[in-house]
Amino acid sequence: MYKRGVYTIGENTKIAKDVYFMTLFGDTSFITAPGQFINIELEGFYLRRPISICDWDKEKIDIIYKVVGAGTEKMAELKAGEKLDVLTGLGNGFTINNDTKAPLVIGGGVGTPPMYNLAKQLIAAGQKPTVILGFTSKDDVFYEEEFKALGCDVYVTTNDGSYGTKGFVTDVIKTLTGYDYFYTCGPEPMLKAISAATECSGQLSFEERMGCGFGGCMGCSCKTLTGYKRICKEGPILLKEEIIW
Amino acid sequence: MVNTKVTLSGWTLDNPVIPASGTFNFGKEFAEFYDINILGTFSFKGTTRVGQFGNPTPRIAETPMGMINSVGLQNPGIDAVINKELPELKKIFNKKVIANISGYAIDDYVYCCNLIDKEDQVGIIEVNVSCPNVHGGGMAFGTDPKNVYEVTKRVKEVTTKPVYIKLSPNVTDIVSIAKAAEEAGADGISMINTLLGMRINLKTGKPIIANTMGGFSGPAIFPVALRMVHQVAKAVNIPIMGQGGVSSAEDVIEMMMAGATAVQVGAANLKNPYACKEIIEALPATMEKYGIKDLNDIIGASFK
């Protein structure tokens, strides 16, 4: 189920280069799984902005977004106390696989946020997730400490080597053994590389330009081995085995 | 008390508000937000003879006060619509629905209309001769009065249900096309489909939409739609379902004053899933504000 509501901005703070952390106070009862997203109406823009949920509790939603265009530029200017019209409970979200013990949790750039609540839930389910975060450069890195605070082993890579391991998340994956599953969100080339670099199964979160965000317009459809899927409705999480690269 | 009931070809609707094809799928997604039985009715997703995926993504681009889509008629095909979508719809919607039918050749339209004719759940067949997103298909039919005449005539031969022809605005003279449909026996006109539009990504210099162009809709096109409805309403004697950027109860009234008997709401549903509910709820008070007791009194007021 999904729902529209009015949410009040608690904070809207820059946490890395072009990356902002925002809290939204309001009804969170329609959010059921990590990896779901919300769709935010912004004054002056016709379509809503779909943003993944980083974390939530009974009274607020945390999101992390990157300024990539006019809409997110506008979001970055919003102040605490301002109100936003938001659709919540969108997307299928990650499904915790209870048959595994040591999954990899891999975030690429601004694909990192949804992995945070997922890691929390995996730990709560008695699993020991290993976190790998990939960024372009040192200035882009965020949430390393937050994942460490959960008790996860955290590896950070940067493409230029200015922080952590030089290279891509797959360069870290190659050095690891003992993992039995993976969850990931990030740019599509990274998702494809992870899928190829891992022998185990996993869940991958995809991105697409959306019209409505709730399955009404068929704007974000993709072909999978299990049929046509709407990234906003039957996605954004797809299983490794069903993806057509 | 005001009267919001309107009648399309003998079918009386509780109100003139109809979600437009392609923005409401088969109703399920919106039924999660509100009870869709409050609608006049709705026009279901454009359906073709054989199911199809449609166009590659990205299919969506934004514009100030509107959007561009190039979905390309993704739909499960007429058989799945009849055997799966309509029975599922019956569980959440107790009114008749408008069946939107598309095709690539006249035989496709005839084939689908012949099948859908047998469905009690369908109140009107809306024949889409104007989708801008299918090559060699809908648009080619919709831009030539001779083709529109031929499609209309052939479809009318296989169904007793009212047939409304959905027209493209991307033509030189929409009146001549509407007249061709009327002469061929169309029971009504549905207008306008989307305007052909385009956006370019400034960073790459390439079109945002994978298919380069797409259908432009939203409040930005309302004046164009209104003008065309006005022109056609003056020229034909069959009812019009007016659409194009309608987003409020005021827009509904204005579109009816232009000559529409009922009004379809498209892109607004995608921005605000409650758009039609809010319009229907606002309609009586908005009518009272303008001294309108009966919506039927204002149809075509702009030229009568």
Side-chain angles (χ1 to χ4, degrees), chain A residues 21-24 38 52-57 60-64 113 116 120 143:
Chain A
F21 173 90
M22 180 186 276
T23 55
L24 292 166
I38 63 175
S52 65
I53 296 165
C54 174
D55 199 8
W56 77 96
D57 60 26
K60 69 174 171 60
I61 304 168
D62 296 337
I63 58 170
I64 292 173
Y116 181 69
K120 267 187 166 178
Y143 257 50

Side-chain angles (χ1 to χ4, degrees), chain B residues 47-70:
Chain B
T47 296
T48 50
R49 184 172 186 158
V50 179
Q52 60 186 38
F53 176 69
N55 292 331
T57 55
R59 297 173 170 182
I60 303 287
E62 192 180 38
T63 74
M65 296 306 282
M67 62 183 286
I68 297 173
N69 89 81
S70 173

Side-chain angles (χ1 to χ4, degrees), chain A residues 29-44:
Chain A
S29 60
F30 289 87
I31 303 167
T32 56
Q36 286 188 318
F37 65 95
I38 63 175
N39 215 359
I40 305 173
E41 186 170 78
L42 292 173
E43 198 186 334

